[in-house]
Amino acid sequence: MKEIYTALYPNEQVATNVGDYSFSHSTKLPKHITDHHAWGVETQERSNYMISPLQAQFQVWLAKAVGAKRVLEIGTFIGFSTMGWSEAVSTNGHVTALEFSPEYAQIAEEAFAKNSITNIEVIVGDARESIKKLSTTIPQPYDLIFIDADKTSYPTYLSQILEYSPPNSTSVRLLRQGGIIVADNILRRGLVADPSDANPQAAKERERTWRADDMDALHKFNDMMVESARLETFLMPMFDGLGCGRLVD
Ligand SMILES: C[S@@+](CC[C@H](N)C(=O)[O-])C[C@H]1O[C@@H](n2cnc3c(N)ncnc32)[C@H](O)[C@@H]1O
């Protein structure tokens, strides 16, 4: 292993222990959020759609660190990560949550209502259409945009964010200057960087969820992130790969 790379995880046992240790040494999520995650794991067939509680801790921390008051989430599922953004922006902030499935959106909205969360708006439909509409109707730009929906649309979501946030614009833009983009699953179990058979995940993933068009889209997205002169980018090799960008202009 080259010295510039992290040497924290020589095997699965160490990775698990480092993850558990990191979880217990990071600021706790409020109980209603961890409870919703636990409920999702128990009841939802696709509970693995949710980010991990450790990733949620990081995202809440990040949003607070950059002082985010308005967050756009693309891909909400049952609202777990959304609750994290809601907590981070606090009651006087706002979260817009985009979800394709009316069933998932309903579960999310019920959970928000049950926990008296009132700073989240859920918009049901294809996020590409919702983003287009939001770009002409929002009162203020977003401070942070989280991309966590269909992987094939990641390049489109990024193109839309850049197109609807023109520099030196006098009208409202989608993402403010200096705003943050966070994109989940951009390494896909490491397969985006190393799809060879030397990667033990390769055979497993090919059997289960491998989709060539997802991989092509993620490569394209990662290239766009680093090649855009308008973005400062850091690809964080944590969780399932977290693409982080800062809109410079
Ligand atoms: C990985 S899950 C989101 C998980 C959630 N962010 C969390 O961590 O708790 C992705 C979600 O995106 C939704 N989705 C997929 N394609 C979409 C699209 N074109 N527009 C809006 N939502 C979409 C799926 O229905 C699914 O609920």
Side-chain angles (χ1 to χ4, degrees):
M1 191 175 289
K2 292 184 194 167
E3 277 177 19
I4 57 165
Y5 300 141
T6 176
L8 285 175
Y9 314 121
N11 58 45
E12 205 170 323
Q13 179 203 312
V14 177
T16 302
N17 290 338
V18 171
D20 290 349
Y21 185 87
S22 306
F23 180 74
S24 62
H25 288 78
S26 302
T27 301
K28 278 191 175 41
L29 295 168
K31 186 172 177 310
H32 70 274
I33 301 186
T34 41
D35 282 354
H36 187 54
H37 184 270
W39 177 83
V41 169
E42 230 170 74
T43 62
Q44 300 298 309
E45 196 186 334
R46 305 224 156 125
S47 62
N48 65 342
Y49 275 7
M50 291 184 286
I51 59 168
S52 67
L54 179 63
Q55 185 174 338
Q57 284 172 309
F58 169 69
Q59 292 184 180
V60 172
W61 179 88
L62 174 70
K64 287 188 176 181
V66 300
K69 282 290 164 196
R70 290 178 53 80
V71 173
L72 173 63
E73 176 174 86
I74 307 171
T76 289
F77 188 44
I78 61 167
F80 170 63
S81 54
T82 333
M83 284 188 180
W85 301 125
S86 156
E87 173 70 18
V89 300
S90 83
T91 45
N92 63 351
H94 176 82
V95 180
T96 307
L98 309 183
E99 175 51 53
F100 187 78
S101 150
E103 290 80 21
Y104 292 150
Q106 190 182 339
I107 296 173
E109 288 192 296
E110 283 171 6
F112 304 152
K114 186 179 143 207
N115 289 289
S116 308
I117 296 171
T118 55
N119 62 354
I120 302 173
E121 179 194 15
V122 180
I123 302 177
V124 178
D126 187 331
R128 290 165 298 190
E129 291 307 313
S130 306
I131 293 169
K132 200 188 291 179
K133 279 193 203 126
L134 285 169
S135 72
T136 59
T137 54
I138 47 170
Q140 289 167 50
Y142 293 100
D143 302 306
L144 189 153
I145 300 180
F146 180 46
I147 306 175
D148 191 20
D150 52 323
K151 307 309 155 201
T152 45
S153 298
Y154 273 35
T156 304
Y157 296 139
L158 183 55
S159 299
Q160 286 186 309
I161 294 168
L162 295 175
E163 181 187 341
Y164 299 141
S165 311
N168 308 316
S169 163
T170 48
S171 56
V172 173
R173 44 190 278 171
L174 193 70
L175 182 63
R176 73 164 165 84
Q177 182 179 13
I180 304 291
I181 299 167
V182 178
D184 199 22
N185 311 113
I186 45 106
L187 287 177
R188 224 46 207 275
R189 306 274 182 273
L191 293 174
V192 172
D194 181 0
S196 76
D197 289 338
N199 178 348
Q201 294 288 355
K204 244 195 274 176
E205 288 294 313
R206 270 196 203 102
E207 268 169 36
R208 289 187 327 136
T209 57
W210 179 275
R211 286 186 45 183
D213 51 353
D214 279 358
M215 293 299 155
D216 291 346
L218 289 171
H219 276 293
K220 187 170 173 194
F221 175 84
N222 293 337
D223 290 348
M224 285 169 71
M225 285 280 279
V226 74
E227 284 164 12
S228 170
R230 300 186 60 201
L231 295 173
E232 289 171 345
T233 297
F234 185 76
L235 195 165
M236 194 191 290
M238 270 186 72
F239 313 119
D240 197 24
L242 209 56
C244 303
R246 179 181 168 273
L247 184 55
V248 177
D249 58 10

